[in-house]
Amino acid sequence: QVQLVESGGGSVEAGGSLRLSCAVSGYTSSTFRESCMGWFRQAPGKEREGVAIISPAGGTSGYADAVKGRFTISQDNAKKTLYLQLNSLKPEDTAMYYCAAYPYLKYGQCIFRASAYDVWGQGTQVTVSS
């Protein structure tokens, strides 16, 4: 059974930084490397939105316009762990952050659409105060 477990959320002041982690279990190392991985977030009363995605084996990455230049997605294939470095945080970054995954072969590309992702973590809360 595949499980994604996020950690690293917390409360910070505007301008601060956090590093989120997403530990993946139930995937073999090759399956992890062959998956599209993404970070999404959902604020109260808002739809879930894509934040950052990364292609198999960390080949390429993509970011939502709102976080470009501030957030960095990465992965450690040996540890089967996905990361999101959040810098220069703003109050509007406050949300529950989720990691998610699906097999690259499902679409032949990695996309931001939340409905494409098969497996989700339980989320980790990020709160940024002004």
Side-chain angles (χ1 to χ4, degrees), residues 15-87:
S17 298
L18 286 171
R19 189 192 194 203
L20 308 184
S21 298
C22 172
V24 180
S25 62
Y27 271 179
T28 64
S29 294
S30 61
T31 301
F32 180 78
R33 289 194 303 270
E34 294 164 3
S35 296
C36 292
M37 304 291 297
W39 286 97
F40 293 77
R41 66 186 182 186
Q42 188 167 18
K46 294 188 176 182
E47 292 187 356
R48 189 169 297 189
E49 62 175 355
V51 175
I53 60 174
I54 191 165
S55 66
T60 58
S61 56
Y63 299 90
D65 288 341
V67 307
K68 279 181 182 176
R70 299 188 299 121
F71 291 7
T72 303
I73 188 171
S74 63
Q75 64 185 64
D76 185 324
N77 292 322
K79 295 182 178 179
K80 289 186 285 185
T81 301
L82 180 73
Y83 301 99
L84 186 67
Q85 178 68 40
L86 293 70
N87 296 329

Side-chain angles (χ1 to χ4, degrees), residues 107-130:
Y107 297 109
Q109 58 180 331
C110 297
I111 58 180
F112 267 101
R113 191 170 74 241
S115 61
Y117 290 75
D118 299 323
V119 186
W120 291 82
Q122 83 290 348
T124 186
Q125 178 68 37
V126 172
T127 302
V128 185
S129 59
S130 58

